[in-house]
Amino acid sequence: MCSALKELFGIEHPILLAPMGNVSGGALAAAVSHAGGLGLIGAGYGDADWLDREFQKAGEARIGVGFITWALARNPALLDLALAYEPEAVMFSFGDCTPFLPAVREAGAKIICQVQTLAQARDAAAAGADLIVAQGTEAGGHGGTRSTLTLVPAVVDAVVPTPVVAAGGIADGRGLAAVCMLGASGAL
């Protein structure tokens, strides 16, 4: 149970740090990775100086980075900046990530797409996402209109064999176990 995420990133625990914009910094991302999960720096709305500093704070830790996709579209050079640090993964949320995928693939990073609907999940899988994050309304209100516990199994079924991670309202081991029972490979 919950093994696909661990295998995908070679991590001990099926947990990803949510790349909360300008909150999930390099030190926190590194701490999560050192504890056996995968930490993701939150690039937020696109501050290059902040992003550069946070990658430096992460040191040599295996981490990833997450972008608000529509904000990245305004400043695509941020992707080049992030890829220069050789992240394990690049996560895209809220927008069409397809223009950015070739650069991520070429850099050798895994592609994570966060979705709030079944249509978005199918599009992400068709685009070749390595991992899909099914984000319910409990994720700070960002999840549209569907709760995590009903969205996760629907997304899992819609995108087989692409692994799915649950986001929204998972706060402890019981929540992690619950979403794993629903078919998720872990939690964000």
Side-chain angles (χ1 to χ4, degrees), residues 150-167:
T150 63
L151 181 62
V152 167
V155 170
V156 167
D157 292 345
V159 301
V160 170
T162 305
V164 174
V165 166

Side-chain angles (χ1 to χ4, degrees), residues 2 4 113 115-122 125 131-135 146-167 178-187:
C2 278
C113 294
V115 303
Q116 295 79 36
T117 68
L118 288 178
Q120 292 169 353
R122 289 184 188 105
L131 180 69
I132 294 173
V133 175
Q135 183 185 51
R146 197 161 181 183
S147 73
T148 304
L149 294 182
T150 63
L151 181 62
V152 167
V155 170
V156 167
D157 292 345
V159 301
V160 170
T162 305
V164 174
V165 166
V179 296
C180 288
M181 291 301 296
L182 295 173
S185 295

